[in-house]
Amino acid sequence: MDDCIFCRIAAGHIPSQKVLEDEHFVAFRDINPKAPQHILVIPREHIPSLNDIDGWGAAQGHELLRFIVRVAEQVDVAASGYRVLTNVGPDGGQEIPHLHFHILGGEKLGDFR
Ligand code: 5GP
Ligand code: ZN
């Protein structure tokens, strides 16, 4: 989608600090980090939110989880620990309507609700 900022980042049309990418997913640093390591993982395909993954099979879901672990290893938080979250819709605080998973780590994270 031409007017989607994360589609444009995935395509390389908007610069970002990419940490890992493959055929299906891209990981890049959040522009406004909330932790020493704050990475966003997105599918290349435009999917608005987690509510819209009906087209995915089990294999793609597993690939996503494996990709997230590879990102955690890449930024060296796999052993120390990290948090993965996705915001969905207005109450979830989702600002960008392209599915993305936050990976947060690099320090002891506070509680959240
Ligand atoms: P959300 O609130 O939708 O879950 O998270 C969106 C995230 O995208 C925010 O943490 C925000 O800092 C990040 N973000 C927004 N615009 C850009 C951008 O142009 N580049 C990067 N790298 N991150 C962005
Ligand atoms: Zn998009």
Side-chain angles (χ1 to χ4, degrees):
M1 266 177 63
D2 288 352
D3 59 350
C4 170
I5 191 166
F6 283 179
C7 282
R8 290 171 60 82
I9 284 176
H13 297 156
I14 293 178
S16 69
Q17 285 185 270
K18 289 185 181 165
V19 300
L20 197 67
E21 55 186 318
D22 70 8
E23 190 188 341
H24 298 297
F25 305 105
V26 182
F28 54 96
R29 294 195 175 278
D30 196 294
I31 206 167
N32 181 23
K34 302 282 197 313
Q37 298 292 345
H38 186 171
I39 316 297
L40 300 174
V41 170
I42 63 171
R44 288 189 185 277
E45 178 191 2
H46 182 83
I47 294 174
S49 84
L50 193 62
N51 286 343
D52 305 295
I53 58 161
D54 283 352
W56 283 18
Q60 201 168 349
H62 187 237
E63 254 188 72
L64 166 66
L65 294 175
R66 286 190 53 186
F67 186 86
I68 287 171
V69 174
R70 283 175 60 208
V71 173
E73 289 167 351
Q74 176 83 21
V75 301
D76 209 23
V77 298
S80 52
Y82 57 98
R83 182 172 294 155
V84 180
L85 66 89
T86 185
N87 296 319
V88 179
D91 282 359
Q94 184 180 6
E95 286 170 14
I96 311 279
H98 179 130
L99 175 62
H100 53 282
F101 294 83
H102 298 255
I103 300 176
L104 298 147
E107 68 181 6
K108 177 93 176 141
L109 299 167
D111 291 342
F112 71 101
R113 47 162 287 180

